[in-house]
Amino acid sequence: MTVSPQALDTDAAVLCHDLLRLDTVNPGDGSGPGERAAAEYVAARLSEAGLDPLLTESAPRRANVLARVAGTDRTLPPLLVHGHLDTVPFAAEDWTHHPLSGELADGCLWGRGAVDMKGTLAMTLALVRDWARTGRRPRRDLVLAFLADEESTGEYGARFAAERHREWFEGCTEAIGESGGYSVPAGGTAGERRLYPVAVGERCTAWMRLTATGTAGHGSRAGADNAVATLVHGLSRLAAHAWPVRLTPPVEALITELEGVLGTRIDRERLEAEAARLGRAGALFAYTVRNSAVPTVLRAGQKVNVVPGSAHAQVDGRFLPGTRDEYLETVERLLGPGVTREFINLEEAVAADHTGPAFAAMAAAVRAEDPAGHPVPYLMSGGTDAKTFNRLGITCYGFAPLLLDPELDYPTMFHGVDERVPVDGLAFGVRVLDRFLTAY
């Protein structure tokens, strides 16, 4: 079903609807449709705003868009605003509304990427277009990057842009991107207070491809070196492992802020239990107090009565800063000698200063639009293109502001079913970004 533009009363909503209808699924193996259609749409909308965007392909249909917005104070270093065009796959039969429909229902636009992260791209586009109509400008130059392949390794997106178009990022010292700035109900004695977690760091990434080999043969003849059994036993040990709980500086900063907002003491000796006690507020640190290794893909065999000679799996590994050697040694020990490992993606963590002027300006912009809002720093459990830009010396924050209905559990929709973003929330986000980018 196509939503008429008249039903969407803001430019951000129209742009989001249009982007959601463009298939940019990225399976990670090169088999997807690519980001070209969405990149062309973005470039056209930027051109309408008087900009001169560069549309550049890293491979056929793997497209990226770069643009620059002139600020009022050219003495300040430019700020990078980045986001990704690709989305993860979906099973349409599981959704209430088709994930490529951009359906408007219950005040929300539904579709794959509404949360991650076409809604944010729409807010950025809408703001730039509004500036063009009104003659207003940001305080500093902005470098806009709409990128491919974030949902895989970034090879065709951020990494390509950073290597082949390095000149676009010259002078940039800070950046904003996904994922943070959305409202979370504080709950408890905090009453109507809302938390706005702003990402000041990410865990390290260790995506791994695992292989076990054995003797192929007839399924009726049990063998001691069955590749499937070897791999499954190793995965079972890895999945069952209890990684030690550790408190990193960004999580400590978050917990300290939460104690003030919520009016409760948080016991550092039982952080996982405390996260459960605090509900949605506790979820902000529940997944960032320990390392993790989550099996996500398993492939072996073609026929029930044939023992395959090899079995393969993929694991989404994340580890806290400073624990790399310990993490990899533990993974090797748990998998055992019969399983080999290679990296699909290995990235170090990123960190930003929550006490500096950039965070303060973001917090001020949020509070100006939501006086009940309380921005807090937090560490992302996953990863973004920030890791690539961090290697260029750019300090990255996750700041994509949204005011949400308290019943809408936004973080759980990342890569989940029934992704949706409220139209009113998009309008709020545009206003917050406008305040931040014209002041900072």
Side-chain angles (χ1 to χ4, degrees):
M1 175 181 176
T2 301
V3 178
S4 69
Q6 293 75 23
L8 303 172
D9 58 2
T10 67
D11 195 29
V14 173
L15 293 163
C16 182
H17 164 73
D18 292 349
L19 286 168
L20 291 175
R21 291 176 59 80
L22 298 173
D23 185 359
T24 56
V25 164
N26 179 9
D29 60 3
S31 64
E35 299 85 359
R36 178 81 194 200
E40 290 177 346
Y41 177 87
V42 166
R45 303 293 82 75
L46 292 173
S47 296
E48 292 170 356
L51 302 184
D52 185 22
L54 170 69
L55 193 155
T56 175
E57 282 194 339
S58 51
R61 304 200 64 77
R62 306 309 302 272
N64 305 272
V65 180
L66 301 172
R68 194 175 185 105
V69 181
T72 59
D73 188 345
R74 307 304 290 275
T75 67
L76 295 173
L79 177 77
L80 171 62
V81 181
H82 65 93
H84 61 89
L85 298 161
D86 61 324
T87 63
V88 295
F90 55 79
E93 62 273 16
D94 296 334
W95 287 57
T96 303
H97 302 284
H98 195 280
L100 293 178
S101 68
E103 180 72 23
L104 176 63
D106 302 322
C108 294
L109 288 166
W110 298 58
R112 176 57 90 210
V115 167
D116 188 14
M117 60 173 297
K118 291 180 176 179
T120 303
L121 302 184
M123 292 191 300
T124 302
L125 286 172
L127 179 56
V128 170
R129 287 159 59 82
D130 183 69
W131 286 338
R133 285 190 293 267
T134 61
R136 299 171 65 249
R137 292 160 61 189
R139 186 181 178 200
R140 62 184 72 210
D141 283 10
L142 302 181
V143 176
L144 308 180
F146 300 82
L147 302 164
D149 202 36
E150 191 272 348
E151 296 294 0
S152 186
T153 63
E155 176 184 355
Y156 298 104
R159 292 180 183 177
F160 167 80
E163 293 170 6
R164 297 287 294 275
H165 298 284
R166 178 67 181 85
E167 69 279 4
W168 280 83
F169 309 102
E170 290 294 338
C172 290
T173 58
E174 293 173 314
I176 60 170
E178 60 174 337
S179 146
Y182 54 86
S183 65
V184 176
T189 59
E192 294 302 315
R193 297 290 295 278
R194 282 175 286 276
L195 303 168
Y196 286 85
V198 176
V200 296
E202 303 175 1
R203 287 194 299 174
C204 309
T205 299
W207 291 351
M208 295 169 279
R209 183 181 293 110
L210 310 180
T211 301
T213 58
T215 302
H218 199 286
S220 67
R221 299 178 180 179
D225 60 346
N226 184 304
V228 176
T230 299
L231 181 61
V232 168
H233 289 321
L235 286 175
S236 178
R237 290 189 295 269
L238 190 63
H241 181 65
W243 298 90
V245 173
R246 290 190 172 94
L247 187 58
T248 57
V251 177
E252 172 62 48
L254 167 63
I255 289 173
T256 299
E257 289 286 334
L258 290 179
E259 287 180 323
V261 178
L262 304 179
T264 184
R265 180 182 176 274
I266 299 174
D267 188 347
R268 272 66 166 177
E269 299 301 317
R270 49 191 305 273
L271 285 174
E272 290 184 313
E274 291 286 71
R277 175 176 71 87
L278 296 173
R280 299 266 289 279
L284 296 177
F285 64 84
Y287 303 102
T288 55
V289 295
R290 62 166 80 220
N291 298 334
S292 62
V294 180
T296 53
V297 177
L298 183 62
R299 296 191 180 99
Q302 296 179 343
K303 198 170 186 295
V304 68
N305 62 342
V306 177
V307 176
S310 62
H312 310 273
Q314 293 181 21
V315 171
D316 185 335
R318 314 280 175 160
F319 57 95
L320 297 171
T323 67
R324 173 174 170 161
D325 291 345
E326 173 195 337
Y327 179 80
L328 297 180
E329 290 169 2
T330 302
V331 168
E332 291 282 2
R333 174 175 57 81
L334 293 171
L335 290 176
V339 181
T340 61
R341 171 186 53 75
E342 60 179 320
F343 290 114
I344 300 171
N345 194 25
L346 180 63
E347 294 270 18
E348 291 299 328
V350 300
D353 181 11
H354 74 281
T355 66
F359 188 95
M362 289 180 244
V366 168
R367 292 191 187 103
E369 290 296 328
D370 182 7
H374 192 103
V376 295
Y378 91 116
L379 179 70
M380 287 184 59
S381 62
T384 72
D385 284 331
K387 288 184 170 68
T388 292
F389 296 120
N390 186 252
R391 290 198 295 272
L392 299 182
I394 301 173
T395 299
C396 299
Y397 295 87
F399 186 61
L402 282 172
L403 177 60
L404 302 167
D405 185 299
E407 298 302 316
L408 195 62
D409 192 353
Y410 190 73
T412 63
M413 291 191 291
F414 279 81
H415 297 192
V417 174
D418 283 347
E419 267 189 82
R420 57 198 184 276
V421 63
V423 171
D424 289 347
L426 294 174
F428 171 87
V430 172
R431 295 194 302 272
V432 173
L433 287 174
D434 185 28
R435 287 182 180 273
F436 169 62
L437 295 173
T438 55
Y440 181 62

